[in-house]
Amino acid sequence: MIEANHIIKEVTTSEGVLRILDDINLTVIDGEALAIIGPSGSGKSTLLGILAGLDTPSAGVVRVNGEDITAMTEEGRAAMRARYVGFVFQSFHLLPSLTALENVSLPLELRGDSSATEIAHSYLDRVGLTARLSHYPRQLSGGEQQRVALARAFASRPRILFADEPTGNLDTVTGKTINDLLFQLNREEGTTLVLVTHEATLASRCHRRVTLKGGLLVENDTVLSGTAE
Amino acid sequence: MMAWKLLWRSWRGGQLALIFWSLVMAVVVVTAVALLADRVEKALVKESSHLLAADAQVRTSRAIPDNWLQRADDERLETVQMALFASMVYSGDNNHLAAVKAVQSGYPLRGLLTLAERPFVTTPEFFESVNHGPPAGEVWVDSRLLPILKMELGDSLEVGEVTLRVTKVIVEEPDRGGSFSLFGARVLMNWQDLNASGVIQPGSRVDYRLLLAGEDSDLANYLAWLEPQLNSHDRLLSPDEAQAGIADTLIQGRRFLILAGSLGVVLAGIALALASRHYAVGQTAAVALLKSWGLSARRVRSLYWQQTFWLALAGSLLGLAIGWLVHESLVFLVRELLPVNLPQAGWRPWLVGLATGMLCLVGFALPALWHLPSLSPLAVLRQDVPVHPVSAMKRLVIGLLVILLMLLWYSQSVALTLAILAGLVVTSLAVMGPGWLLLNLARRLGSRAGSVWRLALANLWRRRGQTLVLLTGFAGAMAILMTLVMVRTTLMEQWRWQLAEDAPNHFLVNVAPHELDGVERLLADNQLSSVGWYAMVRGRITLIDGQPPSDELVEQNNALRRELNLSWSDQLPEGNRVEEGQWWEGLTNFAERHGENVAPVSIEEDLASEIGVTLGSRLTFSVGGLTFDAVITSIRSLNWDTMTPNFYVLFPKGYLEKYPRIFMTSLYLPPEQKPFVNTLLSQYPTVLVIELDMVIERIRSMVTQVTHGLELMTLLILGCGVLVMLAAVKLSMAERLQESAILRTLGSTARRILTVQSVEFGALGALAGLLAAVGAELALFLLQRRMFEAPFGLHVELWLWGPLTGALVIGALGVLYTRKAVRRPPLQVLGNLDI
Ligand SMILES: Nc1ncnc2c1ncn2[C@@H]1O[C@H](COP(=O)(O)OP(=O)(O)O)[C@@H](O)[C@H]1O
Ligand SMILES: [Mg+2]
């Protein structure tokens, strides 16, 4: 469970202080899929970063599973991320010198998982890349790269997955497959999903949508159905 | 281990290649140089022991006191006594004033005596090397004594009251060195025969020598004890002092090697710093990713530090191995030419190599990577998260400090270190200021040129910060290469006479006027030619400023005891320089001021100071019983590097011609014509032949060795220079590609981008080349003055070739990298974590 109370984010620019997020209040319950939507520049990524503990708000409190991560040190937040959090990014962020398999197994290896390779292997099977294990990112299409990124994110079995416009760099058809895969894995793994997007169709597959506009949370609706889609 | 796994994967991906090879290169250069320098140094010490035939030598005009010998024995030193003197030797009706050397049988203590059983042989298979002197009852002599005394090997020779058998001829004495006995052939006899011969009488002029050899510390103890007991007539020679002209060449060669090695490290260090910076830029996103997964800064640091450490260690070890190969292959190439087998290197060069690798890591790689652990994980979400690398200024200072440390350590010479650093700093300054002006100027010129030029030059100006840094890097690397090549050329030129195949290697002295035509004909019959005949008159200095020189002065100076070669010339001979006073044509009213019968005279500077005369001193010469006065009007320095006759005392024409004269010349005698010496001496026994062929051969082989060294080093350094350019271009490409400007231009045709980039890099290279010429010229000015004692002149070729090669090489490199980039779709350039 994530709770955000009175989140304010301000940055100092050459034109003075800029308020990116203005008094955001938000709760994400376990197992829920939440979409954060809004036009470009509305503060979606900033909010995602704060909820995931990558960044700190100028004011306000974020609690993850009851722990106040805004009061933690950077090291504390890192430990929290290691325990609960996974990411999928718009620009994939695969390491170019690693094969698909190594890209997926790296986070597992880093946390000392002795069966890292087997787990990575099985997740790559699940995203349909069994034949591409030893391919390097440059040998894969954009869609395939994002599938590797999905496998990597889920292989660590995070309690909460943050996805920042996961299909933003893909064409519509490819984007659709990635979305299907994302929701399928999300359902199978029972992960809490926080999804940033500006696509209405994608958002509509979540349990709940919040809309950001100029740093303000303007809409906060609930989908009636109990599951995603 | 995680770090090794990561390292291996990065290595496989190719991001580490440039870092790795820069480091390897630094270690290779330093190790090769250090190994070679170490061995050459050891060889030098050995060589100079040979020149003394001992580790140290004491020369005195009294018999060696017993307590000196006793004490040497106490210090566990080996000793050999020697006596050198001139004495008449007889064979049948013939006699000769020989240069006798009586030695105890342990002679030589260091080095070997080369003998032959046939006179005048030149082929080594007839040579025999021994480490002892002749046994009692035998003598070994110079080949030329045989024709002079019309005798053969096996005949007997009378030395004073003993008759000794001539059993062998001497080819080479280790300690004969450069002082050729002009006055007699060598007769080497056993010390035991000395008393019986009765040639040494009270009052005889004898040069006694005590040769010493043993452990360094024992020797040092002994010499410390001995030194206070020496009087002003005694001389102590240690290996350092015995280093003759050969050693100078080697020392210069060694200096060059060290200079080359230092420059190589500087270049490799710059390449390493640039490559590390490039690597760090590429790792920014990877680190953000690791941190988004929850890795702590400490863990990230430990991962990266371990990786760099293992990389540096592997690079250093490989560098040591390649450095050893480089030095070994060099030694192998010239093995045949080496006069002495090079001694094995000690452990120090290996330590120097390894430490270089680690220092490079600390000085050049770590500062560039330092900020990585503290990067914000937010960078996974945002492109514009600020990165705070260690400031360029700090990295520069750290790099310079490490360079300073290493240079000092390698060269152990503050002057050399400062010269190199000054070159670097001056180059940077020479780049920053004028570079800015040049860029501005180029932009203005470009704005009137075609669109490609306008765009390219405007780009350079727009990114002038980065451009100036690049300019400094390129200009620095090029300046170093230029400096090195020019120093090498200068050295080679200085040594050219030593390398010339037909440099004179024999002197013919003491040719009487009536023999001149005959000798000339004999030369012609054998297709030999001399450099021309120099006439001279033999005379001695009897009075200085009207006073006979003091006994002490006479005692100390051969020049006052024996006849000098006086010669005359209207022109200042080649290689001579007037240091004080005027050459003849500069003299006015000389005859009026000093009288008709007084001659002006020019004297060599060392001789002048030894006998204590200055400009204006009046010397009285005695020639064949007649005397005349002369006033010193000039003091000259001589160039001993040319194998043409040099004269200590010179007069203008018209003063000496009336005295009986003798002639001398020098000539080149090819090895196969060596028996000519025999022919000549058997027909003209009074002619003195000074054989320098052995010495020249030895010098030449050493010079050849050193020259090969220079060439190989220059090649290595060139490799380092190329690394720098590669790293710099790669780094700037990475930064350019991430710039929006180039992404926008990706919309235009690839061809146009290529053209603009090639013009950009070409112009950058040309500017760098121009600025490098300035830097190199300044560095050369310092280096040549302080280290190589060579005169300074402008190097016009640099000003031409610098900009040209700069434009071509850097332009080409730029195009190469741009081509890779324009072939890639823009999204990949943006989306991937590493370029
Ligand atoms: N550290 C920062 N400094 C300056 N401007 C920022 C910073 N972080 C975010 N912004 C600005 O805040 C706005 C919201 O950014 P972001 O959260 O990335 O929007 P979105 O993801 O909705 O497109 C943008 O205009 C962005 O430029
Ligand atoms: Mg965004």
Side-chain angles (χ1 to χ4, degrees), chain A residues 6-7 14 16 23 29 50 60 77 115 133 182 191 197 214 223-224 228:
Chain A
H6 305 293
I7 299 298
S14 49
D23 196 27
I29 54 170
I50 289 171
R77 275 192 297 277
S115 48
L133 298 181
L182 172 63
T191 319
T197 184
V223 172
L224 296 172

Side-chain angles (χ1 to χ4, degrees), chain B residues 38-190:
Chain B
D38 191 64
R39 296 181 72 178
V40 167
E41 196 157 355
K42 286 199 167 124
L44 251 179
V45 172
K46 212 165 137 188
E47 185 76 8
S48 40
S49 311
H50 293 178
L51 292 175
L52 293 178
D55 291 339
Q57 210 183 74
V58 190
R59 299 184 176 180
T60 169
S61 55
R62 40 188 169 141
I64 307 290
D66 279 341
N67 66 327
W68 291 13
L69 295 168
Q70 185 56 49
R71 179 73 185 207
D73 206 38
D74 295 345
E75 293 284 359
R76 297 178 300 277
L77 295 174
E78 288 179 83
T79 57
V80 158
Q81 292 190 69
M82 256 176 19
L84 285 85
F85 52 91
S87 176
M88 271 304 180
V89 296
Y90 302 87
S91 171
D93 295 337
N94 302 299
N95 61 60
H96 175 72
L97 184 63
V100 182
K101 181 159 153 183
V103 297
Q104 288 183 324
S105 51
Y107 167 88
L109 287 173
R110 294 283 183 261
L112 296 171
L113 195 57
T114 309
L115 306 169
E117 304 210 349
R118 277 198 228 175
F120 299 110
V121 287
T122 49
T123 31
E125 63 246 44
F126 293 112
F127 294 171
E128 170 194 0
S129 294
V130 299
N131 61 354
H132 57 82
E138 289 183 20
V139 284
W140 297 341
V141 302
D142 274 354
S143 292
R144 66 187 172 97
L145 184 72
L146 303 178
I148 293 173
L149 295 181
K150 300 193 171 58
M151 64 188 300
E152 290 182 357
L153 279 179
D155 292 353
S156 33
L157 183 79
E158 289 166 44
V159 182
E161 285 158 27
V162 292
T163 303
L164 305 166
R165 242 163 59 82
V166 180
T167 52
K168 283 174 183 164
V169 293
I170 301 167
V171 178
E172 205 179 12
E173 270 173 72
D175 55 335
R176 194 177 297 193
S179 64
F180 303 94
S181 164
L182 286 174
F183 302 98
R186 167 71 80 225
V187 169
L188 192 63
M189 63 187 284
N190 191 291

Side-chain angles (χ1 to χ4, degrees), chain A residues 4-216:
Chain A
N5 292 322
H6 305 293
I7 299 298
I8 293 172
K9 180 68 177 177
E10 286 175 335
V11 290
T12 324
T13 65
S14 49
E15 283 110 49
V17 176
L18 179 71
R19 185 163 283 205
I20 304 170
L21 297 176
D22 197 356
D23 196 27
I24 306 285
N25 291 291
L26 187 68
T27 305
V28 187
I29 54 170
D30 285 347
E32 180 186 35
L34 170 78
I36 302 174
I37 46 183
S40 186
S42 55
K44 303 185 295 293
S45 297
T46 308
L47 178 59
L48 184 90
I50 289 171
L51 295 179
L54 293 175
D55 199 1
T56 48
S58 310
V61 172
V62 178
R63 285 199 182 78
V64 175
N65 291 336
E67 289 178 76
D68 179 2
I69 64 166
T70 40
M72 288 178 181
T73 60
E74 182 52 44
E75 299 294 86
R77 275 192 297 277
M80 186 280 296
R81 287 197 299 273
R83 233 175 312 137
Y84 301 122
V85 174
F87 291 97
V88 178
F89 309 105
Q90 176 174 5
S91 49
F92 325 143
H93 284 352
L94 297 181
L95 295 172
S97 59
L98 268 52
T99 61
L101 185 65
E102 289 162 351
N103 260 296
V104 177
S105 66
L106 180 63
L108 299 168
E109 288 167 9
L110 282 169
R111 64 168 67 162
D113 195 327
S114 56
S115 48
T117 310
E118 292 79 58
I119 296 175
H121 201 302
S122 75
Y123 275 88
L124 279 166
D125 283 347
R126 288 171 70 180
V127 298
L129 287 178
T130 317
R132 301 302 203 106
L133 298 181
S134 58
H135 283 60
Y136 289 93
R138 63 173 180 280
Q139 298 167 310
L140 301 173
S141 71
E144 286 164 338
Q145 290 190 41
Q146 193 61 306
R147 278 198 263 168
V148 176
L150 282 179
R152 178 176 67 186
F154 281 104
S156 307
R157 316 211 55 172
R159 299 259 292 271
I160 313 160
L161 183 72
F162 293 94
D164 189 8
E165 309 212 26
T167 57
N169 276 346
L170 301 172
D171 59 74
T172 344
V173 181
T174 321
K176 168 104 174 44
T177 5
I178 293 296
N179 286 335
D180 292 346
L181 211 49
L182 172 63
F183 281 104
Q184 183 194 332
L185 285 165
N186 185 46
R187 205 169 43 236
E188 289 168 11
E189 302 279 327
T191 319
T192 308
L193 178 65
V194 179
L195 175 69
V196 162
T197 184
H198 55 256
E199 289 171 53
T201 43
L202 182 51
S204 67
R205 296 169 75 168
C206 295
H207 302 121
R208 202 155 60 94
R209 282 157 293 279
V210 294
T211 304
L212 271 177
K213 209 169 227 169
L216 287 162

